[in-house]
Structure formats: C-alpha cells, structure tokens
Amino acid sequence: DIQMTQSPSSLSASVGDRVKITCRASLSISSYLNWYQQKPGKAPKVLIYAASSLQSGVPSRFSGSGSGTDFTLTISSLQPEDFATYYCQQSHSTPGGLTFGGGTKVEMK
Amino acid sequence: QMQLHQSGPGLVKPSETLSLTCTVSGGSISTTSYYWGWIRQPPGKGLEWIGNIYYRGTTYYNPSLNSRVTISVDTSKNQFSLKLSSVTAADTAVYYCASLSGYYYVYHFDSWGQGTLVTVSS
C-alpha cells in the first residue's frame, strides 16, 4: 500500500495567516492526490482533487500544488470557518488501495 | 450531486457482525463513472478506507480488513451495504458511506453519508 504522511499534525494560526500543509507519498502518485476538510461531527468535504483542481464551490483561497511524492495545500488567508482538520488522500490506486494521510488540525492561535 | 443516507444499528456486540446500508438518491447507483465506498474514523483519530464496490458487484477491500469485510450492492433499491464480521472494540468508529467519482485515476470522494457511530460493546 501507498503510505501518506502529512505534516505538521497540528498547527496554530491566526485569521489572515497564510497556512501550508504538506503531504508526502511513499512512492510516486503523479498528480492523483486529493485534499479534504473535516469539521467536528461532520463528514469530510473535498477541497482539491488531482493535486491542484479546485472543487466547485470551494473558495479560491484554497490551492493545491505538487506532483510525484510531495504535495502542498495552501490557504492564502485563513478565515474563521477554516479552523478544521485537513486530510490528503491518494487516488493512484483507484479503485482499490486508497489511503489517507493522518490529518492536520488547524487551530486558532 | 448524489445524496447518501446511512442506516443501521449503532451498537454491536463483540464477535458479532456490523451491518450498515447506504441509500443513494439524486441519481442512479448504476452510473458508470462512480464507485461506492465505505470509510471509517475511530473516535479522535484519522480516516481509514474500508472498501469500494462498482455497481456490477466488483469489490476492492483494504487488505487489513479483507478477511472480515463484505460490501454488496442492490441496484434495484439504489443501495449498497457493509458487513464487518467478528468485531472487537477496535472497530468502534464513525462509519461513512461515500461516492467515489471521476475517471482514469482522477477519483475523489465527492458525496458522503451523514456518518454512523458504531460502538462495539457487550
């Protein structure tokens, strides 16, 4: 299985900050990488698919980059509603062998 | 976009079988560009993919759960189901159903059920 490693596992930031979360795959997954946001008690919601494509309806302050093994989710200016946990997920193995990163919790400083 | 609604018990005894059903609305489960999946999340922990099924019945399972998992589909009811046998306390989690949509390898989970907290306890 492809292992996905996210860093950091948590971070503290303020409204307006630029936030970057990284995800590393244990082998090359081309651009087959998705990012999800999860708020407490809710199901995850896709933000970015195929490494850099913004899901319809998602604010443009979210962006994704990377290919191969190293990927980044960037929030350009953190908003109050962005405090949540973020997960990466590889789709290189679709339809089987899907794996998620361990998550990054973004907390208020 | 599809809507998914989960049903099933929230309490299962150790060694018994966990059973959940996901009903799809707003579209057909037989859509060719979709797979249908189950994901779980132990309390306070991350997401774990359990498995996927295609409407024709082809299944794909997480190797760590493969011997205990069965996912099935009923196209006449627009439903798919999860069975996890021989459960232990380690299987206590919120279980989600989700639609996996896309093409080639560009797939993502775009719609999710509401989640069901399943507690394994006697």
Side-chain angles (χ1 to χ4, degrees), chain B residues 12 19 53 57 89 107:
Chain B
V12 181
S19 295
I53 190 166
Y107 279 88

Side-chain angles (χ1 to χ4, degrees), chain A residues 1 32 34 36 38 41-46 49-50 55 87 89 91-102, chain B residues 1 35 39 41 45-49 51-52 60-63 96 100 103-110 112-115:
Chain A
D1 277 3
Y32 304 124
N34 305 315
Y36 300 84
Q38 186 181 32
K42 299 294 186 182
K45 164 190 161 184
V46 64
Y49 63 94
Q55 176 74 351
Y87 294 92
Q89 175 248 319
S91 63
H92 180 269
S93 307
T94 301
L98 304 182
T99 46
F100 290 88
Chain B
Q1 196 166 4
Y35 293 86
I39 300 102
Q41 185 171 37
K45 296 190 177 180
L47 300 166
E48 179 182 33
W49 171 73
N52 295 332
Y60 310 84
Y61 297 140
N62 186 324
Y96 293 101
L100 183 68
Y103 59 93
Y104 194 49
Y105 297 113
V106 185
Y107 279 88
H108 60 277
F109 291 108
D110 63 347
W112 296 67
Q114 77 276 22

Side-chain angles (χ1 to χ4, degrees), chain A residues 38-62:
Chain A
Q38 186 181 32
K39 296 182 178 179
K42 299 294 186 182
K45 164 190 161 184
V46 64
L47 301 174
I48 303 286
Y49 63 94
S52 60
S53 295
L54 192 68
Q55 176 74 351
S56 175
V58 173
S60 59
R61 63 181 179 273
F62 291 94

Side-chain angles (χ1 to χ4, degrees), chain B residues 27-89:
Chain B
S28 171
I29 203 168
S30 302
T31 304
T32 56
S33 58
Y34 279 77
Y35 293 86
W36 306 94
W38 290 95
I39 300 102
R40 71 179 183 179
Q41 185 171 37
K45 296 190 177 180
L47 300 166
E48 179 182 33
W49 171 73
I50 298 171
N52 295 332
I53 190 166
Y54 193 55
Y55 78 94
R56 292 183 175 176
T58 311
T59 52
Y60 310 84
Y61 297 140
N62 186 324
S64 69
L65 300 169
N66 186 56
S67 62
R68 298 194 292 131
V69 173
T70 302
I71 298 176
S72 59
V73 63
D74 186 337
T75 55
S76 68
K77 294 182 179 179
N78 234 31
Q79 293 178 338
F80 62 107
S81 298
L82 168 70
K83 291 189 186 298
L84 182 66
S85 63
S86 305
V87 297
T88 69

